[in-house]
Amino acid sequence: LVTKPLGGHDITLTINARLQNIVEEELEKQVIDTGSESGTVVAINPETGEILAMANYPDFNPNRRTRADYPYLANRAVQHVYEPGSTFKLVTAAAAFEANVVSPEDEFDCEGGSITIGRRVIRDHKPFYTISFRKVIENSSNVGTIKVAQLLGERPLWQMANKFGYGSRTGIDLPAESRGILRKVDSWSANSYGSIA
């Protein structure tokens, strides 16, 4: 007795093979050149959210999975939590614009590149003095961004981070996605406020 197969469903990948190859090669090169332990790259189409490339280095050969070192079996792009660093300045900027507490040409005294928040001194990568908010973002000034966040307040900053999806899963169809961490404002310290902004 022969049973005819049932029609299946299509699987359409969004990965761009050419871009994936470039990402893998460049990531390996950068990790080796910088002496880093590891690296991760995710290339996303900003219009659709489609993943165009995703790579981790070091990685493993899936055909020889039993020979792989345990830490490299995880897809660190979706399973590990990491600090967003200076990319989070865009969240602070978005919150400040939405609350109308700043415009691009408003000027901020960046105090020569350092500010004390709580018991911690936070520095810029080079000294800045009075610059526009546009320049604060262009130059990734920690001091200028903190001053904007102080005008904004903690709760609006937290709310914008929540709107951006920090502390939530994206729903990507890959196993063991991490939610990330976005602590409630009540658990922020004076030190964490400067770091978060």
Side-chain angles (χ1 to χ4, degrees), residues 37 40 59 61 85 89 113 115 120 125 149 167 187:
E37 256 181 53
T40 299
D59 59 1
N61 181 342
K89 288 181 174 90
I115 189 170
R120 186 170 169 221
H125 59 93
S187 66

Side-chain angles (χ1 to χ4, degrees), residues 88-106:
F88 198 84
K89 288 181 174 90
L90 297 176
V91 175
T92 305
F97 286 137
E98 187 170 282
N100 280 330
V101 298
V102 69
S103 72
E105 302 314 319
D106 288 349

Side-chain angles (χ1 to χ4, degrees), residues 7 15 23 28 47 53 55 57 70 85 93 99 101 103 105 127 130 133-134 136-137 143-144 179 194:
I15 297 293
V23 162
E28 179 179 0
E47 301 293 326
Y57 184 85
Y70 175 74
V101 298
S103 72
E105 302 314 319
T130 301
F133 184 57
R134 182 185 311 277
V136 164
I137 296 301
V143 176
R179 281 182 353 146

Side-chain angles (χ1 to χ4, degrees), residues 124-145:
D124 281 332
H125 59 93
K126 69 178 190 179
F128 296 109
Y129 296 92
T130 301
I131 58 175
S132 70
F133 184 57
R134 182 185 311 277
K135 292 292 182 187
V136 164
I137 296 301
E138 285 177 13
N139 291 290
S140 193
S141 168
N142 295 323
V143 176
T145 306

Side-chain angles (χ1 to χ4, degrees), residues 13 43 76 121 124 136 149 153 173:
L13 300 181
R76 294 180 302 280
V121 176
D124 281 332
V136 164
D173 288 331

Side-chain angles (χ1 to χ4, degrees), residues 13-31:
L13 300 181
T14 60
I15 297 293
N16 177 314
R18 191 173 135 284
L19 183 58
Q20 179 70 30
N21 187 55
I22 292 168
V23 162
E24 288 177 10
E25 288 177 359
E26 290 301 315
L27 176 60
E28 179 179 0
K29 182 180 181 301
Q30 289 303 311
V31 169

